[in-house]
Each structure stands twice: as C-alpha cells, then as structure tokens.
Amino acid sequence: MNKQELIQKLKKLEGLTAEEKADLINLVNKNKKYGLVWEDKPEAVEEELCQSLPVLKEVKDKAIISDVNVPNHILIEGDNLHALTALTFTHESKIDVIYIDPPYNTGNKDFRYNDSFVDREDSYRHSKWLSFMSKRLEIAKQLLSERGVIFISIDDYEQATLKLLCDQIFTEMNFVGNVIWQRAYAPINLKKTISQNHDFILVYCKQNISSLVFNKLPRKEKQVAMYKNYDNDPRGDWKSDNLSVGPAVEKNIYPITTPSGRVVYPPKGYSWRLSKERLQEFISDNRIWFGKDGSNVPSMKRFISEVKEGVVAMSLWTYEEVGHTQEAKKELKEILHEEDAPFETVKPIKLIDRILRLSTDSKKPYVILDFFAGSGTTLHATMQLNAQDEGTRQCILITNNESNICEEVTYERNRRVIQGYTNAKGIDVEGLRKNNLRYYKTDFVPSPKFEVNKRMLTQVSAELLQIKENCYHDVTRANGFNPQQCGIFTDNGCRVMIVVYHSRNQLEVCEQLVAYIKQLEPTDSVKLYGFSPEKETLMEDFAEVADRIDPVPLPEPIYNAFKNAFRTLKLDRKSINHSDKIEIEPELLTPED
C-alpha cells in the first residue's frame, strides 16, 4: 500500500475527530530528510489569526497624494505576519522583488518573540527565530511572481541557519547567490580576535533560476581605463582577451605562426578558442593582437563599444560602491534632524539602489515589498531611482509601530522625501513629488462564517480591493451613489472598479449601477465585486451589461485567499476546523508529499 492509499483509508476511519485524523496523516507524511529541524514555537499573532481575519484600514489623513498618474506606494502599520496574510488576497504572485532586513538574533535585544526580547541564554533562541522567519518566508514565497526574487540581509549569527531554511522553502536549485556587503570601513578596536565588517545578503528566486537574468552594472572608471587603442583601430579602445581556453578541444590544438615568424601552441591542457578557419576570419578583421613587434602569443581584441551593456555583478560589494552603516545613519539624520539615528540597522540608499538596479528596470511597473521596513530606506531608494530613470516602480512597506517607529520614522522620512524638506545643514531639498503614499493599519474581522461576519468582511473589503486593483480615486458620491451601499473607484484612466456591499435594497442599487455602466466609454474596463453567493447570481442583476463587466462574488475569494495562507502557516486545527470558521480540511493542513 502506498502513502496516498493509506491517507485515503485514514480519512474514512470512524470514531476519530478531524484533529486526530490530521495528526495521523501528519505522521504518514513525515519522511526522514536532510535539512533543518527545530521545535516550532507558536506566536501570539498566529493565535489572533485563528480567531480573526486580517484586513487593511486606510488612515486617510496620512495620505500624501501628489498626482493620480504616479505610483501609489503603500505603508502598512502592524504585525508583518498579519499584513502579509492580508496581502495574499491583494498581491498573490504579484510581487517582483522583496528586500528584507530581519532581526539578526544577536541576543542584544534585537529580536522580540511574543513581546519579549530573546536573549543569548534562551535555550530556544534559534528555534524561536526559525519559527518566526519560516512563517513569514513561506507567505513571502506565495506573494512572489513567477520571476520574483528575494534579497535577505543577515549576519553571522543566523546566516548558516537562514541559508538552510531558504534552501528548504525556495529549494537549493533557486539559490542565486550570497552577497558579502562591506558594511563598515574601519575595524572595531575593542575586538580581540577578528572585527566583523561585513553582512550577507542571501538571494533566491521563486522558481526557474535558469530564466533569471539580472541587469548588468555600469563599468567603473578603473574598468574603462583598461581599454586602450594600441594600434589606432578605427573601432576605438579595446583590451586583449586570452585566446586559449580549457579544457582542451582536440581539433582546436594547432600551431599559430605570428607575424614575426614565431610558432606558438596553446598551453598544455588548453586549446585555442577558435577553429583554424574562424581564426583566419578574426585575423582578416584585425581582431587578433600579436603585440607591437608581432611576436607575442596571440590574443583576442575586445572592443569597449561592443560591451557597453556593462558588467555582471560580483558577490563582494564594497562600501565605496554601495555605502556603509555610518553613511546610512547620516542620510537619516539629514532628513529627520536627529542627533543620532533611531536604531543601528539602518541601510544606505546605495545598497538598496544596487538591488533594484539589478532586479528591475524602467520598462514596467515593478512591485517591491519590504516587510521589515525599519526606517523606510527601501521606499526612499525606489522613489529616487524612479526619478532618475523615469520608472514607475511601486513599493509596499510593512512595519510595526514599536516606539512610534512607523509614524515618526518610516512615514515621516518618506513624507519629507516626497514633499521636500530642509536638511540638517539648513539646505532646502526638493521633494520627489511624482509619488503617492498611502498609510494603512492592520485591522480584523471575526472569522466565523456567520452571515453578519460575511457582510462585515464585504463592507470593509473596499480598501483591500482598491489595493488589489490599484483603483483609488473614489467617485461614489460624485455619481450620486450612497457609499453605504456601494463604492465606485477609478485609476483616473480607463479602469473602473465597483463594489456592491450588501443585498438590502440591492435591486435598486443595481439598476442605478447598470445605468452608470451603460454611460461609460466602451473602452472602459469594469471590475465588479458584489456581495453574492456565486457569480451567476451576481450576473443576474447585471444581465443588461454582462458584456461590459468582469463580475466577482464576495466574500468567498477573500476567504479562499486566507484559507491558502492558513494552510501555508499550518495554523492550529483546534481553532480553525470548526464548521462555523473558514473550513479547512485536515489533509490540507499537512505537508504535501
């Protein structure tokens, strides 16, 4: 009997609770394997998810709206596990780049678990950190697009365990690289052994690493200086490149006679890169260099005009290239006028800029996520790069408000960057005004699927739907509709989103909405969400404009998104397996084969 047959038999056993069946299935699914093993430590924020569904509520008086045709950046205040779960509805498979700088678990009050700092003496220190990170990375993987990539800053305290954890979640095959960032430019003299002056940045893609291509970096002055024009070639500066290559290819081992009459062979174990015929073509095209006197071992000429696209990024990033921690603190002080940076882990703008230049371009509206947002450097770097290359990248930040960091640092920094500010030296800095910033807080709706809760979830879903559809311009009242019954939102272009909140007096509202849809331009795209048990029922009320709308019944898609997230998180079955809760079958809560 194979595993699947055994699982099917277990499902049919009588006299067992759903939880007992799930436990047995878990035992069947457990296989011995190489990798990390740790004791899972539940979080209080998980327990909250067992009883409530997370939603996002906009703090409208904190919105910074510059223009309707610029990127809408989002700042979410709240626990990042709650916020990430909410984003599984709005952004599943839509995030292009994730950068995070999580707590390093140094034991020096940098990592909280269930509202208590984890110190060096905690015997479950690493298990707590792995439990904490694994849940967030699992959800992050759901959010990444097919070509999405994640960059994670870490130091030596958890680098080794994080690498194994990411190998488990993203698979070893999707490991892109381990960047070493030289974060400090001077040693710490108090150290008696080795002064650590670097951090790591682990890089993984979601899938299919063979199709992942990073942008190349501009050549440095030193690299450009290596190109000369020793023979006044009309094609410009060039540098010589080795003509031999290993391992040897037998047919390409042959003698070459230089212009001076010297006969040369490739080194032992090597062969020439070119066949005899191809070599003659290169010689005829003046692409082979034999030295000024014509007696050198031949080399190939590489013209700088033919390699203008730049160079592949290397795994060592120096502070001259991407900045260091002192520079990052100074950048923050220039904006906030603080005597000292509010925390030690602020990252320099140039570091995030390097990440974004490698993984994005100005050709499409990439979506970037940072769910350990800290001082908000990721958004600052995103807006600055957009200003430089006229890109339309959108950034989503998530952070809690511990010590008022979200309001007073993350938000305030980026508010000033958008609106302009006077720096610490009294110099006015122009704002990056082609950006909008919207501020949200996590909120909750009871999870039992009672009718009143379904209606409540639909009623508060408008803000989630605005984020999902990127339609923020509210034209409900302007078109004579009651905001308690429906909402109408546009992107100020040809996209319209309509949300019908409940069924009371729905017939009258639907008739009005049908008339509204009829008067829209034929090219307008209309997404219609409505409180309804199924799509067909919703369509009945809009039969006259069926060819104009894309209908989605609520709230079932939201429940389904959260159900998938809960399955990923393997939340406590006792709390969520009741018939009046989001119904998750026991087998869906166990690891897949």
Side-chain angles (χ1 to χ4, degrees):
M1 182 183 300
N2 64 35
K3 186 191 294 185
Q4 287 304 317
E5 291 172 338
L6 180 57
I7 288 174
Q8 291 305 316
K9 284 200 168 187
L10 288 173
K11 290 178 183 178
K12 296 175 183 177
L13 283 177
E14 296 182 0
L16 295 175
T17 65
E19 181 192 357
E20 289 168 337
K21 289 181 182 180
D23 285 338
L24 288 172
I25 292 169
N26 255 331
L27 289 174
V28 173
N29 274 320
K30 283 182 178 177
N31 293 322
K32 292 181 179 179
K33 61 181 181 178
Y34 169 79
L36 275 177
V37 177
W38 71 90
E39 184 164 339
D40 188 59
K41 295 292 180 182
E43 294 178 66
V45 293
E46 291 178 72
E47 297 300 321
E48 197 162 10
L49 287 175
C50 290
Q51 307 300 328
S52 305
L53 305 179
V55 293
L56 300 177
K57 187 173 182 61
E58 185 173 7
V59 183
K60 295 187 181 296
D61 61 359
K62 279 184 162 50
I64 303 167
I65 309 302
S66 303
D67 194 286
V68 293
N69 297 313
V70 299
N72 287 292
H73 307 295
I74 295 168
L75 172 57
I76 303 172
E77 176 193 320
D79 182 86
N80 56 14
L81 189 61
H82 294 157
L84 287 169
T85 303
L87 290 180
T88 59
F89 173 64
T90 63
H91 280 82
E92 184 170 10
S93 299
K94 290 182 180 179
I95 303 294
D96 300 294
V97 182
I98 295 176
Y99 169 76
I100 55 173
D101 182 21
Y104 288 179
N105 199 19
T106 65
N108 294 322
K109 293 190 174 182
D110 68 320
F111 173 45
R112 280 182 177 271
Y113 203 82
N114 289 340
D115 294 327
S116 297
F117 282 113
V118 178
D119 61 37
R120 292 174 184 269
E121 308 306 317
D122 192 320
S123 57
Y124 289 105
R125 172 183 159 198
H126 295 288
S127 284
K128 288 178 177 178
W129 192 86
L130 284 167
S131 296
F132 174 85
M133 288 299 299
S134 65
K135 296 174 179 68
R136 287 153 179 81
L137 290 177
E138 290 280 10
I139 297 293
K141 183 181 178 182
Q142 278 188 241
L143 298 178
L144 280 175
S145 64
E146 288 186 6
R147 293 179 178 270
V149 62
I150 182 169
F151 297 78
I152 311 172
S153 285
I154 199 68
D155 72 356
D156 275 327
Y157 286 95
E158 294 289 2
Q159 186 273 337
T161 49
L162 180 61
K163 173 68 168 63
L164 287 172
L165 177 63
C166 289
D167 284 347
Q168 185 173 303
I169 293 174
F170 298 99
T171 76
E172 287 182 77
M173 296 298 294
N174 290 323
F175 172 60
V176 178
N178 189 6
V179 172
I180 298 172
W181 167 45
Q182 187 184 11
R183 61 176 173 78
Y185 58 86
I188 301 173
N189 291 324
L190 295 177
K191 293 283 186 180
K192 295 181 180 180
T193 52
I194 296 175
S195 177
Q196 187 186 48
N197 70 334
H198 71 276
D199 280 348
F200 302 95
I201 302 175
L202 287 174
V203 188
Y204 283 81
C205 63
K206 183 174 183 177
Q207 61 186 39
N208 198 11
I209 192 171
S210 60
S211 65
L212 179 67
V213 178
F214 278 169
N215 301 318
K216 292 185 178 180
L217 300 173
R219 295 180 182 277
K220 302 175 188 176
E221 289 184 17
K222 290 181 180 179
Q223 293 169 322
V224 173
M226 295 170 65
Y227 290 81
K228 306 288 185 181
N229 196 344
Y230 299 100
D231 60 350
N232 296 316
D233 193 307
R235 288 166 290 196
D237 291 347
W238 54 270
K239 72 173 184 176
S240 60
D241 194 4
N242 202 335
L243 187 59
S244 59
V245 64
V249 176
E250 190 65 31
K251 67 177 182 177
N252 287 347
I253 300 176
Y254 56 85
I256 296 177
T257 303
T258 71
S260 68
R262 179 187 174 197
V263 177
V264 294
Y265 284 84
K268 187 176 180 179
Y270 290 75
S271 61
W272 302 122
R273 288 178 181 269
L274 306 173
S275 66
K276 286 184 180 181
E277 296 75 19
R278 188 71 172 141
L279 176 69
Q280 289 306 313
E281 292 177 11
F282 270 58
I283 291 174
S284 298
D285 195 29
N286 191 22
R287 286 179 177 269
I288 300 298
W289 175 244
F290 291 97
K292 290 183 178 180
D293 60 1
S295 62
N296 286 7
V297 174
S299 60
M300 299 173 63
K301 294 165 67 174
R302 300 287 190 189
F303 293 93
I304 194 169
S305 59
E306 297 173 346
V307 291
K308 278 184 176 177
E309 70 275 11
V311 294
V312 174
M314 300 180 71
S315 59
L316 175 60
W317 296 1
T318 66
Y319 64 79
E320 293 97 341
E321 297 175 282
V322 297
H324 48 75
T325 52
Q326 292 303 313
E327 179 180 318
K329 292 176 186 178
K330 183 178 179 181
E331 289 170 349
L332 193 57
K333 282 165 52 177
E334 285 291 297
I335 301 170
L336 297 181
H337 300 188
E338 299 288 339
E339 282 191 13
D340 296 302
F343 43 80
E344 294 296 313
T345 58
V346 60
K347 295 295 182 286
I349 296 171
K350 287 193 292 187
L351 177 68
I352 311 302
D353 180 82
R354 163 69 62 88
I355 289 170
L356 296 180
R357 286 182 185 276
L358 287 176
S359 54
T360 70
D361 54 46
S362 61
K363 296 176 183 177
K364 75 167 202 171
Y366 290 86
V367 183
I368 297 141
L369 170 65
D370 182 347
F371 54 89
F372 289 97
S375 69
T377 306
T378 301
L379 175 54
H380 189 167
T382 299
M383 295 189 293
Q384 186 168 285
L385 184 55
N386 279 347
Q388 291 170 3
D389 68 3
E390 298 184 347
T392 54
R393 301 167 187 84
Q394 181 198 31
C395 186
I396 302 173
L397 300 181
I398 302 171
T399 187
N400 60 34
N401 200 32
E402 182 183 333
S403 303
N404 295 325
I405 186 175
C406 188
E407 291 182 289
E408 296 179 4
V409 180
T410 322
Y411 172 77
E412 185 60 25
R413 171 189 189 164
N414 285 289
R415 181 192 69 78
R416 297 186 188 191
V417 169
I418 293 172
Q419 296 182 334
Y421 61 96
T422 302
N423 69 17
K425 297 175 182 177
I427 300 172
D428 290 338
V429 178
E430 188 176 351
L432 303 177
R433 295 188 178 277
K434 292 185 177 181
N435 295 280
N436 296 332
L437 178 58
R438 299 177 184 273
Y439 193 113
Y440 293 84
K441 290 186 178 182
T442 52
D443 202 355
F444 296 92
V445 170
S447 62
K449 294 177 76 171
F450 302 140
E451 189 74 5
V452 64
N453 292 342
K454 290 182 179 181
R455 294 181 186 278
M456 187 187 305
L457 182 57
T458 303
Q459 189 75 31
V460 302
S461 68
E463 286 161 318
L464 284 173
L465 293 170
Q466 285 177 289
I467 295 171
K468 182 179 178 66
E469 300 295 339
N470 198 33
C471 283
Y472 293 95
H473 187 43
D474 190 340
V475 295
T476 310
R477 292 185 184 278
N479 284 280
F481 288 89
N482 182 350
Q484 297 300 313
Q485 294 181 317
C486 69
I488 304 175
F489 308 91
T490 75
D491 64 352
N492 212 46
C494 58
R495 296 183 67 245
V496 179
M497 181 183 75
I498 298 173
V499 189
V500 184
Y501 296 128
H502 54 74
S503 56
R504 293 178 185 172
N505 301 322
Q506 184 168 301
L507 184 60
E508 179 184 349
V509 173
C510 291
E511 288 175 352
Q512 293 175 332
L513 287 170
V514 167
Y516 171 77
I517 293 168
K518 284 181 177 179
Q519 57 88 34
L520 293 173
E521 294 293 330
T523 54
D524 286 345
S525 167
V526 182
K527 193 70 171 277
L528 189 142
Y529 292 91
F531 182 82
S532 178
E534 56 188 10
K535 184 175 180 177
E536 289 72 19
T537 305
L538 185 61
M539 283 294 293
E540 288 176 6
D541 294 325
F542 293 89
E544 290 184 57
V545 288
D547 60 330
R548 298 288 311 276
I549 63 173
D550 178 11
V552 180
L554 289 178
E556 206 58 35
I558 307 176
Y559 281 120
N560 290 338
F562 291 152
K563 182 168 71 173
N564 289 336
F566 295 164
R567 178 174 56 194
T568 297
L569 295 172
K570 301 178 180 65
L571 289 183
D572 182 7
R573 292 182 293 275
K574 292 179 183 177
S575 300
I576 59 177
N577 247 4
H578 303 305
S579 59
D580 61 345
K581 301 286 177 70
I582 298 180
E583 298 164 1
I584 304 178
E585 295 180 12
E587 64 267 29
L588 295 182
L589 292 165
T590 60
E592 295 181 357
D593 296 342

PDB file of all heavy atoms in Angstrom, residues 512-526:
ATOM      1  N   GLN A 512     -29.353  51.298 -10.724  1.00  0.00           N
ATOM      2  CA  GLN A 512     -28.610  52.548 -10.892  1.00  0.00           C
ATOM      3  C   GLN A 512     -27.212  52.289 -11.459  1.00  0.00           C
ATOM      4  O   GLN A 512     -26.723  53.034 -12.306  1.00  0.00           O
ATOM      5  CB  GLN A 512     -28.497  53.265  -9.536  1.00  0.00           C
ATOM      6  CG  GLN A 512     -29.820  53.786  -8.981  1.00  0.00           C
ATOM      7  CD  GLN A 512     -29.655  54.379  -7.584  1.00  0.00           C
ATOM      8  OE1 GLN A 512     -28.773  53.974  -6.842  1.00  0.00           O
ATOM      9  NE2 GLN A 512     -30.515  55.340  -7.250  1.00  0.00           N
ATOM     10  N   LEU A 513     -26.594  51.207 -10.980  1.00  0.00           N
ATOM     11  CA  LEU A 513     -25.245  50.885 -11.449  1.00  0.00           C
ATOM     12  C   LEU A 513     -25.258  50.444 -12.907  1.00  0.00           C
ATOM     13  O   LEU A 513     -24.338  50.760 -13.670  1.00  0.00           O
ATOM     14  CB  LEU A 513     -24.623  49.784 -10.569  1.00  0.00           C
ATOM     15  CG  LEU A 513     -24.190  50.231  -9.175  1.00  0.00           C
ATOM     16  CD1 LEU A 513     -23.818  49.035  -8.319  1.00  0.00           C
ATOM     17  CD2 LEU A 513     -23.009  51.206  -9.258  1.00  0.00           C
ATOM     18  N   VAL A 514     -26.289  49.724 -13.309  1.00  0.00           N
ATOM     19  CA  VAL A 514     -26.420  49.323 -14.718  1.00  0.00           C
ATOM     20  C   VAL A 514     -26.479  50.564 -15.597  1.00  0.00           C
ATOM     21  O   VAL A 514     -25.798  50.651 -16.634  1.00  0.00           O
ATOM     22  CB  VAL A 514     -27.667  48.443 -14.933  1.00  0.00           C
ATOM     23  CG1 VAL A 514     -27.979  48.308 -16.428  1.00  0.00           C
ATOM     24  CG2 VAL A 514     -27.451  47.062 -14.315  1.00  0.00           C
ATOM     25  N   ALA A 515     -27.254  51.559 -15.165  1.00  0.00           N
ATOM     26  CA  ALA A 515     -27.356  52.810 -15.932  1.00  0.00           C
ATOM     27  C   ALA A 515     -26.003  53.520 -15.960  1.00  0.00           C
ATOM     28  O   ALA A 515     -25.601  54.083 -16.998  1.00  0.00           O
ATOM     29  CB  ALA A 515     -28.426  53.710 -15.319  1.00  0.00           C
ATOM     30  N   TYR A 516     -25.286  53.482 -14.837  1.00  0.00           N
ATOM     31  CA  TYR A 516     -23.961  54.123 -14.778  1.00  0.00           C
ATOM     32  C   TYR A 516     -22.984  53.433 -15.723  1.00  0.00           C
ATOM     33  O   TYR A 516     -22.236  54.093 -16.455  1.00  0.00           O
ATOM     34  CB  TYR A 516     -23.446  54.076 -13.340  1.00  0.00           C
ATOM     35  CG  TYR A 516     -21.999  54.505 -13.198  1.00  0.00           C
ATOM     36  CD1 TYR A 516     -21.647  55.848 -13.231  1.00  0.00           C
ATOM     37  CD2 TYR A 516     -20.986  53.557 -13.027  1.00  0.00           C
ATOM     38  CE1 TYR A 516     -20.321  56.246 -13.106  1.00  0.00           C
ATOM     39  CE2 TYR A 516     -19.660  53.940 -12.893  1.00  0.00           C
ATOM     40  CZ  TYR A 516     -19.330  55.286 -12.938  1.00  0.00           C
ATOM     41  OH  TYR A 516     -18.036  55.672 -12.813  1.00  0.00           O
ATOM     42  N   ILE A 517     -22.993  52.116 -15.729  1.00  0.00           N
ATOM     43  CA  ILE A 517     -22.075  51.353 -16.584  1.00  0.00           C
ATOM     44  C   ILE A 517     -22.368  51.603 -18.054  1.00  0.00           C
ATOM     45  O   ILE A 517     -21.455  51.718 -18.884  1.00  0.00           O
ATOM     46  CB  ILE A 517     -22.151  49.851 -16.251  1.00  0.00           C
ATOM     47  CG1 ILE A 517     -21.613  49.601 -14.841  1.00  0.00           C
ATOM     48  CG2 ILE A 517     -21.371  49.015 -17.258  1.00  0.00           C
ATOM     49  CD1 ILE A 517     -21.893  48.213 -14.302  1.00  0.00           C
ATOM     50  N   LYS A 518     -23.650  51.723 -18.393  1.00  0.00           N
ATOM     51  CA  LYS A 518     -24.029  51.950 -19.788  1.00  0.00           C
ATOM     52  C   LYS A 518     -23.456  53.252 -20.337  1.00  0.00           C
ATOM     53  O   LYS A 518     -23.130  53.348 -21.519  1.00  0.00           O
ATOM     54  CB  LYS A 518     -25.557  51.962 -19.930  1.00  0.00           C
ATOM     55  CG  LYS A 518     -26.192  50.587 -19.876  1.00  0.00           C
ATOM     56  CD  LYS A 518     -27.712  50.697 -20.044  1.00  0.00           C
ATOM     57  CE  LYS A 518     -28.379  49.322 -20.065  1.00  0.00           C
ATOM     58  NZ  LYS A 518     -29.850  49.444 -20.202  1.00  0.00           N
ATOM     59  N   GLN A 519     -23.326  54.262 -19.472  1.00  0.00           N
ATOM     60  CA  GLN A 519     -22.857  55.568 -19.958  1.00  0.00           C
ATOM     61  C   GLN A 519     -21.328  55.687 -19.977  1.00  0.00           C
ATOM     62  O   GLN A 519     -20.786  56.695 -20.400  1.00  0.00           O
ATOM     63  CB  GLN A 519     -23.481  56.710 -19.140  1.00  0.00           C
ATOM     64  CG  GLN A 519     -23.218  56.647 -17.644  1.00  0.00           C
ATOM     65  CD  GLN A 519     -21.938  57.328 -17.220  1.00  0.00           C
ATOM     66  OE1 GLN A 519     -21.546  58.333 -17.822  1.00  0.00           O
ATOM     67  NE2 GLN A 519     -21.275  56.773 -16.211  1.00  0.00           N
ATOM     68  N   LEU A 520     -20.626  54.646 -19.493  1.00  0.00           N
ATOM     69  CA  LEU A 520     -19.165  54.654 -19.546  1.00  0.00           C
ATOM     70  C   LEU A 520     -18.682  54.476 -20.974  1.00  0.00           C
ATOM     71  O   LEU A 520     -19.408  53.975 -21.844  1.00  0.00           O
ATOM     72  CB  LEU A 520     -18.593  53.523 -18.668  1.00  0.00           C
ATOM     73  CG  LEU A 520     -18.792  53.651 -17.157  1.00  0.00           C
ATOM     74  CD1 LEU A 520     -18.318  52.368 -16.457  1.00  0.00           C
ATOM     75  CD2 LEU A 520     -18.049  54.858 -16.606  1.00  0.00           C
ATOM     76  N   GLU A 521     -17.455  54.876 -21.236  1.00  0.00           N
ATOM     77  CA  GLU A 521     -16.870  54.695 -22.554  1.00  0.00           C
ATOM     78  C   GLU A 521     -16.760  53.207 -22.879  1.00  0.00           C
ATOM     79  O   GLU A 521     -16.462  52.398 -21.993  1.00  0.00           O
ATOM     80  CB  GLU A 521     -15.476  55.332 -22.628  1.00  0.00           C
ATOM     81  CG  GLU A 521     -15.469  56.843 -22.492  1.00  0.00           C
ATOM     82  CD  GLU A 521     -16.142  57.518 -23.670  1.00  0.00           C
ATOM     83  OE1 GLU A 521     -16.095  56.944 -24.782  1.00  0.00           O
ATOM     84  OE2 GLU A 521     -16.716  58.599 -23.484  1.00  0.00           O
ATOM     85  N   PRO A 522     -16.983  52.819 -24.127  1.00  0.00           N
ATOM     86  CA  PRO A 522     -16.900  51.392 -24.496  1.00  0.00           C
ATOM     87  C   PRO A 522     -15.547  50.772 -24.187  1.00  0.00           C
ATOM     88  O   PRO A 522     -15.443  49.560 -23.976  1.00  0.00           O
ATOM     89  CB  PRO A 522     -17.159  51.411 -26.012  1.00  0.00           C
ATOM     90  CG  PRO A 522     -17.896  52.685 -26.258  1.00  0.00           C
ATOM     91  CD  PRO A 522     -17.376  53.664 -25.260  1.00  0.00           C
ATOM     92  N   THR A 523     -14.509  51.601 -24.144  1.00  0.00           N
ATOM     93  CA  THR A 523     -13.162  51.079 -23.890  1.00  0.00           C
ATOM     94  C   THR A 523     -12.853  50.928 -22.402  1.00  0.00           C
ATOM     95  O   THR A 523     -11.814  50.370 -22.035  1.00  0.00           O
ATOM     96  CB  THR A 523     -12.099  52.000 -24.517  1.00  0.00           C
ATOM     97  OG1 THR A 523     -12.310  53.336 -24.048  1.00  0.00           O
ATOM     98  CG2 THR A 523     -12.193  51.955 -26.036  1.00  0.00           C
ATOM     99  N   ASP A 524     -13.759  51.439 -21.544  1.00  0.00           N
ATOM    100  CA  ASP A 524     -13.524  51.346 -20.102  1.00  0.00           C
ATOM    101  C   ASP A 524     -13.636  49.896 -19.622  1.00  0.00           C
ATOM    102  O   ASP A 524     -14.555  49.169 -20.008  1.00  0.00           O
ATOM    103  CB  ASP A 524     -14.533  52.201 -19.331  1.00  0.00           C
ATOM    104  CG  ASP A 524     -14.240  53.683 -19.453  1.00  0.00           C
ATOM    105  OD1 ASP A 524     -13.121  54.021 -19.893  1.00  0.00           O
ATOM    106  OD2 ASP A 524     -15.121  54.498 -19.133  1.00  0.00           O
ATOM    107  N   SER A 525     -12.690  49.496 -18.774  1.00  0.00           N
ATOM    108  CA  SER A 525     -12.705  48.166 -18.171  1.00  0.00           C
ATOM    109  C   SER A 525     -13.389  48.246 -16.817  1.00  0.00           C
ATOM    110  O   SER A 525     -13.016  49.073 -15.985  1.00  0.00           O
ATOM    111  CB  SER A 525     -11.265  47.655 -18.007  1.00  0.00           C
ATOM    112  OG  SER A 525     -11.217  46.537 -17.177  1.00  0.00           O
ATOM    113  N   VAL A 526     -14.398  47.398 -16.585  1.00  0.00           N
ATOM    114  CA  VAL A 526     -15.186  47.463 -15.357  1.00  0.00           C
ATOM    115  C   VAL A 526     -15.049  46.151 -14.578  1.00  0.00           C
ATOM    116  O   VAL A 526     -15.465  45.092 -15.039  1.00  0.00           O
ATOM    117  CB  VAL A 526     -16.675  47.735 -15.650  1.00  0.00           C
ATOM    118  CG1 VAL A 526     -17.460  47.843 -14.339  1.00  0.00           C
ATOM    119  CG2 VAL A 526     -16.852  48.995 -16.483  1.00  0.00           C
TER     120      VAL A 526
END
